Amino acid sequence: MLLGVNIDHVATLRNARGTIYPSPVQAALLAETAGADLITMHLREDRRHIKDADVAAVRAAIQTRLNLEMALTDEMLAHALSVQPHDVCIVPEKRQEITTEGGLDVIAHFEKVALFTQQLTQNHIRVSLFIDPDKTQIQAAKDAGASVIELHTGAYADASHEKERQMELEKIQQATQWAASLGLIIHAGHGLNIHNVADIAKIDAIEELNIGHALIAQSIFIGLPESIKQMKNVIFQARCGRMGIL
Ligand code: PXP
């Protein structure tokens, strides 16, 4: 199973201060060194985290694959065709949402999805559609010409009790079976973390997971002690120098 590391929230942290760090490029390279199979980034229409220049810089720097998540708009299509990521994942986007809520409605936007899929595919960019685990959406994705679907695991991840979690898990398992029977490549993602990823990872036909927020969040706790040690060390060395100890 492949792991796509979504680095959007490295940019969220950078943008909070308007600094040039932490750098998404540095994060992407570190992710690759740590075993990421691909790098995922979402260029949102409001550019709230990843900016245009980040996509180009990451595309040029990485050695694995770039999976660009984007909305179904002409601006994004033009951007993807110029940056040439290896994969594009078409996602729904609403300005006011905190994160991508729900899957793309392929049925409602069928003609546009089919057209974008054709144009991207002709330009050697593999297209994935981010959809809910729903049979009719999966069939529409197939009919629109996509070779890949990414199943939205948000409802599973957000389930507030065990019965609901099991129900959402079954939906994903059944959707996966159905998609596999249509010959689609199946990815999954959204809201996955170390506590809920195992049941999804057990579904054989899912080939790739895309995970972002939880990975960046967990890295604070794994990395904070080392970061504090580094800072204390620099302060200590400076003090020792002032006092003529070093
Ligand atoms: N997959 C898709 C298509 C997404 O839009 C996102 C969020 O940008 C993710 C995966 C990753 O979700 P999370 O940040 O919750 O791990």
Side-chain angles (χ1 to χ4, degrees), residues 89-92 100-107 113 128-144 146 148-155 171-172 175-176 178-179 182 184-190:
C89 179
I90 304 179
V91 302
T100 315
E101 293 163 2
L104 181 70
D105 188 345
V106 183
I107 299 164
V113 173
S128 157
L129 304 178
F130 188 45
I131 56 176
D132 289 328
D134 173 289
K135 252 186 164 184
T136 55
Q137 292 293 343
I138 294 168
Q139 183 64 56
K142 173 79 183 169
D143 295 343
V148 185
I149 55 164
E150 179 166 332
L151 294 174
H152 197 310
T153 52
K171 275 192 209 165
I172 295 167
T176 303
W178 171 248
L182 296 179
L184 289 162
I185 295 167
I186 306 148
H187 300 167
H190 210 281

Side-chain angles (χ1 to χ4, degrees), residues 23-217:
S23 150
V25 172
Q26 202 181 338
L29 295 177
L30 195 60
E32 283 188 327
T33 305
D37 298 293
L38 61 140
I39 302 299
T40 295
M41 49 207 307
H42 185 175
L43 183 68
R44 292 189 70 102
E45 287 185 271
D46 61 11
R47 308 298 197 270
R48 69 172 71 155
H49 38 54
I50 294 296
K51 313 277 186 202
D52 300 51
D54 295 325
V55 182
V58 168
R59 174 70 179 90
I62 63 174
Q63 291 187 16
T64 55
R65 283 165 41 218
L66 175 62
N67 173 33
L68 178 67
E69 297 173 357
M70 59 167 232
L72 191 65
T73 66
D74 294 339
E75 184 210 359
M76 286 301 154
L77 177 64
H79 185 89
L81 292 175
S82 87
V83 174
Q84 288 281 313
H86 303 81
D87 299 272
V88 152
C89 179
I90 304 179
V91 302
E93 213 174 286
K94 296 188 211 105
R95 280 283 156 111
Q96 302 309 325
E97 68 189 358
I98 294 173
T99 181
T100 315
E101 293 163 2
L104 181 70
D105 188 345
V106 183
I107 299 164
H109 303 286
F110 186 80
E111 272 166 27
K112 201 165 183 186
V113 173
L115 186 69
F116 275 40
T117 302
Q118 190 190 32
Q119 289 194 21
L120 290 161
T121 307
Q122 273 170 0
N123 283 276
H124 313 290
I125 300 169
R126 190 173 67 156
V127 178
S128 157
L129 304 178
F130 188 45
I131 56 176
D132 289 328
D134 173 289
K135 252 186 164 184
T136 55
Q137 292 293 343
I138 294 168
Q139 183 64 56
K142 173 79 183 169
D143 295 343
S147 54
V148 185
I149 55 164
E150 179 166 332
L151 294 174
H152 197 310
T153 52
Y156 159 79
D158 293 342
S160 51
H161 51 82
E162 186 52 26
K163 201 170 158 208
E164 188 187 344
R165 197 185 81 90
Q166 278 304 328
M167 220 175 67
E168 293 299 336
L169 182 61
E170 271 166 38
K171 275 192 209 165
I172 295 167
Q173 287 163 338
Q174 282 165 14
T176 303
Q177 259 183 15
W178 171 248
S181 75
L182 296 179
L184 289 162
I185 295 167
I186 306 148
H187 300 167
H190 210 281
L192 297 178
N193 57 44
I194 51 171
H195 305 293
N196 64 21
V197 74
D199 282 334
I200 301 295
K202 286 178 192 160
I203 306 173
D204 288 336
I206 298 181
E207 291 188 10
E208 177 184 302
L209 297 179
N210 283 296
I211 306 181
H213 187 261
L215 273 174
I216 304 302

